[in-house]
């Protein structure tokens, strides 16, 4: 390439900059298909926007809890197993924080319970539960902790509406900024 | 041909043993003779040629952390701590880098040709990148520590591996997340991002978008080679200075969202107290003496170089001080190399031990002025009585004392 052509090329490249700023700077990567997006989009936010269709009740959940082996680790009824307990031993205590670290009780949103079961359970057979089974197990665990009545059917629409006992009684994270200390005045 | 190889190797091994025995049996050289040779490693024994192995005399290794075996009877791994007591310089060899899983887990065995990273949510253009795609982008190479939130000293711990081994430091190579987010055209409504792995639980964490646009990157390289499976092969998120669990391993998805999502790993961060929550995200300034440290023994009085590591999630370490008299007088330590941001730095202090019983400690200050506290100071901050059972709320960055007895034995000063 002669210097004139090089100069012309450099000039043309410069002219392209405003156009590039509108689109992807490098043009690397491909657009995922709707199916690929749906398959990976499993993190359920507090509004429940990512929930799949399905439904389940506490009664169905109690059967699933036995059939899928949940009781083997978490104990019949959510207590007495080797895995973390799922039902408070101190249900009358008005202080939710004092009732123990129990996911279906302490979670600020019912969607967290659904998400946790869906991605994390059963141990070593993760991803094998159907959406209906996850709705049913969520309903069962919320029922045994007194969060919802036994006959309530949870589904894609109403799960995020469940009022959890913790309310907004939990810490919010401070707005993070670079070059900023984590807690002003700590420890002196 | 292949069948012949073991025989040949066996021959070489036998040969090496014979040669070794021969040398060991030789008498000391007479004056003017060439000194005797050490035993020789001949050929491809223990992988010296294909993928270099360390000397058989070097046995430093990781240990299960916190009492739970890794692997356990089912082959599940949990928390494994790095042998800081043997460390020199600032790089943790990849083979000795600490690692942790959120619960006992099998390690995913991912084919990098099949692995992709998807970025979607509040973006103009959702995009999927193959590993080859990611390697086409402009790269960054940075030294960073990663530390587990469970890295806290206790009076029961004996060695620095037990008190501080859940942190390590490596050179990481990858692509800035800001580069990828610009490629996707992120929307101004995006305030948080959810990073998710490909392992069995698809471990997910929410982080502020400000971190994504500041210094977060997706790493495919670690200490000059591919990231190790235990550390997230083929791709892990680096969020320098944030606690370990947020450095999402086996990264396959990033979703930009408008609020804190509180999924899987986030639930573990749920707290009652705003101040504890604030102490559970960014790692505070922390230092520890690695030599001499718990379970080691000084052979006698005389000169020693006290050596240790210091790091902070707030930036580079600005100063380290060492006390050799139980905290009465603090002396400025020297750096070995230049401290990097959110990276271990090596400090050293020349010391002549007089042979008397004493206690040695280190403390540090980072570039934004955060100071490493004593446990007493932390207890005072929380208006709690200080005794052996005091547990530091949030991430523990307290000063670690080592006691030195008059016989040179070193023990945990918290015991």
């Amino acid at each position: 390439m002669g210097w004139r052509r090089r100069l012309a090329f450099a000039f043309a490249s410069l002219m392209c900059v405003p156009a590039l700023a509108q689109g992807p700077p490098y043009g690397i990567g491909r657009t995922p298909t709707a199916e690929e997006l749906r398959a990976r989009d499993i993190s359920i936010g507090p509004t429940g926007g990512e929930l799949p269709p399905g439904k389940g009740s506490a009664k169905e959940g109690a059967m699933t809890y036995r059939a899928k082996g949940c009781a083997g680790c978490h104990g019949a009824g959510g207590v007495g197993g080797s895995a973390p307990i799922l039902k408070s031993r101190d249900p009358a205590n008005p202080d939710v924080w004092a009732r123990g670290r129990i996911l279906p009780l302490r979670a600020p949103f019912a969607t967290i319970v659904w998400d946790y079961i869906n991605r994390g359970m059963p141990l070593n057979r993760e991803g094998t539960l159907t959406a209906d089974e996850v709705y049913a197990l969520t309903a069962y665990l919320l029922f045994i902790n007194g969060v919802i009545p036994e006959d309530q059917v949870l589904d894609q629409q109403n799960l995020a509406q469940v009022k959890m006992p913790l309310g907004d009684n939990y810490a919010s994270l401070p707005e993070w900024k670079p070059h900023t200390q984590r807690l002003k005045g700590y420890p002196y | 041909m292949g069948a012949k190889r073991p025989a040949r190797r066996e021959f070489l091994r036998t040969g090496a043993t014979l040669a070794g025995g021969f040398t060991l049996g030789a008498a000391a050289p007479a004056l003017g003779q060439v000194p005797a040779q050490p035993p020789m490693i001949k050929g491809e024994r223990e992988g010296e040629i294909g993928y270099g192995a360390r000397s058989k005399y070097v046995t430093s290794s990781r240990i299960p952390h916190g009492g739970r075996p890794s692997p356990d009877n089912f082959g599940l791994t949990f928390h494994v701590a790095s042998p800081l007591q043997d460390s020199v310089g600032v790089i943790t060899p990849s083979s000795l880098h600490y690692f942790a899983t959120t619960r006992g887990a099998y390690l995913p065995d991912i084919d990098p040709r099949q692995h992709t990273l998807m970025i979607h949510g509040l973006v103009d253009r959702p995009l999927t990148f193959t590993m080859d795609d990611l390697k086409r982008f402009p790269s960054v190479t940075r030294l960073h520590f990663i530390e587990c939130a469970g890295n806290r000293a206790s009076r029961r711990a004996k060695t620095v591996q037990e008190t501080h081994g859940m942190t390590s430091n490596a050179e990481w190579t990858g692509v800035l997340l800001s580069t990828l987010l610009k490629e996707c055209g992120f929307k101004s409504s995006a305030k948080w991002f959810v990073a998710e792995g490909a392992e069995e639980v698809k471990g997910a964490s929410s982080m502020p978008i400000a971190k994504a646009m500041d210094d977060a990157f997706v790493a495919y390289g670690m200490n000059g080679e591919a990231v190790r499976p235990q550390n997230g092969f083929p791709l892990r998120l680096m969020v320098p200075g944030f606690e370990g669990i947020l450095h999402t391993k086996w990264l396959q998805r990033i979703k930009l969202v408008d609020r804190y999502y509180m999924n899987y790993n986030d639930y573990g961060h749920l707290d009652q107290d705003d101040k504890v929550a604030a102490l559970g995200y960014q790692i505070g300034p922390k230092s520890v003496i690695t030599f001499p440290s718990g379970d080691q023994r000084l052979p006698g009085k005389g000169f020693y170089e006290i050596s240790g590591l210091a790091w902070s999630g707030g930036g580079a370490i600005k100063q380290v001080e060492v006390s050799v008299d139980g905290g009465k007088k603090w002396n400025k330590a020297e750096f070995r190399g230049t401290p990097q941001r959110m990276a271990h730095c090596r400090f050293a202090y020349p010391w002549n031990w007089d042979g008397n019983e004493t206690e040695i400690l280190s403390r540090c200050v980072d570039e934004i002025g955060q100071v490493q506290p004593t446990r007493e100071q932390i207890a005072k901050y929380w208006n709690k009585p200080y005794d052996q059972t005091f547990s530091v709320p949030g991430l523990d960055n307290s000063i670690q004392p080592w006691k030195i007895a008059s016989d040179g034995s070193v023990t945990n000063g918290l015991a």
Side-chain angles (χ1 to χ4, degrees):
Chain A
M1 208 190 276
W3 68 270
R4 272 169 205 280
R5 280 185 65 189
R6 254 183 240 182
L7 196 67
F9 181 74
F11 187 68
S13 306
L14 275 175
M15 296 301 283
C16 285
V17 168
L20 276 173
Q22 308 297 317
Y26 298 100
I28 300 172
R30 65 169 179 84
T31 305
T33 65
E35 177 52 31
E36 286 170 330
L37 274 168
R38 195 203 56 75
R40 275 198 200 179
D41 195 13
I42 60 160
S43 278
I44 315 295
T47 62
E50 295 88 352
L51 284 168
K55 61 178 168 51
S57 69
K59 275 186 181 152
E60 290 161 340
M63 290 190 286
T64 309
Y65 187 84
R66 284 193 299 273
K68 295 291 173 183
C70 311
C73 295
H74 293 281
V79 286
S82 56
I85 61 168
L86 298 172
K87 185 188 174 182
S88 178
R89 291 196 175 95
D90 188 14
N93 195 326
D95 179 2
V96 180
W97 285 98
R99 279 190 240 166
R101 189 172 168 163
I102 295 155
L103 181 76
L105 178 68
R106 192 185 274 187
F109 309 103
T111 48
I112 298 171
V113 184
W114 197 98
D115 179 284
Y116 206 101
I117 298 168
N118 184 53
R119 75 170 72 223
M121 293 293 146
L123 201 64
N124 300 329
R125 297 198 307 281
E126 299 85 359
T128 57
L129 297 171
T130 66
D132 284 351
E133 285 168 341
V134 180
Y135 280 109
L137 284 169
T138 305
Y140 172 65
L141 296 178
L142 293 177
F143 162 66
I144 62 173
N145 283 287
V147 180
I148 60 166
E150 189 167 23
D151 57 0
Q152 184 170 344
V153 176
L154 292 180
D155 61 26
Q156 192 181 18
Q157 272 72 43
N158 70 9
L159 179 70
Q161 314 305 322
V162 172
K163 198 174 148 23
M164 297 299 290
L166 193 63
D168 57 4
N169 175 25
Y170 61 94
S172 51
L173 287 166
E175 191 187 341
W176 182 86
K177 289 193 191 88
H179 311 285
T180 306
Q181 61 190 80
R182 50 192 193 146
L183 179 58
K184 218 171 163 50
Y186 178 85
Y188 41 73
Chain B
M1 195 62 198
K4 274 187 188 165
R5 279 207 183 119
R8 183 173 156 75
R9 248 183 230 147
E10 192 52 44
F11 168 75
L12 287 170
R13 197 175 295 131
T14 316
T17 311
L18 281 175
F22 201 71
T23 314
L24 283 171
L31 202 64
Q33 267 189 317
V34 178
Q37 282 185 6
M40 294 295 160
I41 295 167
K42 293 185 179 172
E44 174 73 314
R45 193 189 64 168
E46 291 169 13
E48 284 83 359
I49 293 171
Y51 193 86
R54 62 183 176 175
S55 162
K56 67 179 180 182
Y57 299 105
V58 178
T59 55
S60 181
S61 57
R62 298 185 290 202
I63 54 168
H65 178 79
R68 180 168 167 177
S70 283
D72 67 9
N73 293 338
F74 303 99
L76 301 165
T77 56
F78 186 48
H79 287 188
V80 177
S82 187
L84 299 187
Q85 67 277 14
D86 303 321
S87 67
V88 293
V90 293
I91 299 276
T92 311
S94 300
S95 301
L96 297 176
H97 199 287
Y98 99 86
F99 72 97
T101 55
T102 53
R103 63 185 194 201
Y106 298 118
L107 293 171
D109 193 10
I110 297 171
D111 179 349
R113 293 166 300 184
Q114 307 297 323
H115 191 81
T116 57
L117 170 66
M118 180 190 285
I119 300 181
H120 70 122
L122 297 171
V123 295
D124 296 328
R125 296 172 293 276
L127 286 172
T128 297
F129 305 104
T130 62
M131 291 306 299
D132 285 342
D133 288 341
L134 292 172
K135 287 173 185 171
R136 288 171 60 192
F137 283 101
S139 63
V140 291
T141 290
R142 292 171 183 176
L143 203 62
H144 285 306
F145 76 85
I146 305 178
E147 181 178 15
C148 177
N151 202 30
R152 43 178 62 238
S154 84
R155 63 205 156 103
R156 288 177 299 278
K158 292 206 161 30
T159 66
V160 70
Q161 186 167 17
E162 290 166 16
T163 59
H164 289 74
M166 295 300 282
T167 182
S168 293
N169 193 62
E171 185 198 77
W172 300 92
T173 296
V175 187
L176 282 173
L177 190 48
S178 59
T179 301
L180 299 177
L181 295 191
K182 283 173 199 158
E183 192 73 9
C184 297
F186 70 101
K187 295 181 172 25
S188 59
S189 51
K191 302 292 181 221
W192 293 84
F193 68 98
V194 177
E196 205 165 77
E199 77 277 29
E200 81 291 15
V201 295
K202 313 280 182 288
S205 299
S206 307
M207 282 161 274
I209 203 81
K211 188 65 176 174
M213 298 314 290
D214 183 42
D215 60 357
F217 59 104
V218 299
Y220 46 76
M222 176 185 187
N223 290 336
E225 60 179 355
V227 173
R228 293 288 175 90
Q230 293 158 335
N231 273 288
F233 180 83
L235 193 67
R236 97 173 294 171
L237 181 68
M238 290 298 297
V239 275
F242 279 17
E243 74 172 65
I245 198 171
L246 301 170
H247 294 66
T248 314
K249 296 191 281 190
W250 314 293
L251 182 71
Q252 69 168 6
R253 185 168 78 101
I254 287 172
K255 184 177 187 182
L256 275 62
V257 294
D258 62 350
R259 69 191 71 200
Y260 188 55
Y261 253 37
M262 209 182 289
N263 288 142
Y264 201 72
N265 294 337
D266 297 329
Y267 175 72
H269 290 85
L270 184 68
D271 220 295
Q272 191 170 11
D273 188 308
D274 282 350
K275 288 192 288 187
V276 177
L279 292 173
Y281 225 63
Q282 183 174 294
I283 305 273
K286 194 165 176 178
S287 72
V288 67
I289 293 169
T290 55
F291 176 82
S293 62
D295 248 11
Q296 291 176 338
R297 191 187 188 95
L298 300 178
K301 63 183 182 183
F303 180 82
Y304 296 95
E305 181 173 83
I306 292 176
S307 170
L309 295 167
W311 63 97
S312 173
I317 292 296
K318 206 170 97 190
Q319 180 177 287
V320 179
E321 291 170 302
V322 167
S323 173
V324 293
D325 57 7
K328 288 197 269 299
K329 183 171 178 280
W330 290 92
N331 316 285
K332 209 171 156 188
E334 297 164 5
F335 290 122
R336 297 286 178 254
T338 307
Q340 311 281 307
R341 301 190 70 235
M342 285 78 98
H344 285 179
C345 69
R346 174 67 60 178
F347 66 84
Y349 177 71
W351 180 44
N352 258 301
W353 183 43
D354 60 11
N356 292 321
E357 187 180 310
T358 190
E359 192 171 71
I360 58 171
L361 318 97
S362 67
R363 68 180 183 192
C364 66
V365 182
D366 68 14
E367 64 174 289
I368 56 170
Q370 298 184 110
V371 181
Q372 184 181 14
T374 62
R375 295 170 80 83
E376 290 93 325
Q377 286 167 331
I378 297 170
K380 200 174 163 199
Y381 178 85
W382 296 102
N383 288 319
K384 287 197 173 135
Y386 175 71
D387 60 26
Q388 280 193 327
T389 62
F390 174 71
S391 174
V392 175
L395 294 167
D396 181 356
N397 66 325
S398 61
I399 290 173
Q400 171 68 40
W402 298 116
K403 271 188 216 147
I404 299 180
S406 53
D407 69 354
S409 61
V410 189
T411 53
N412 185 354
L414 300 174

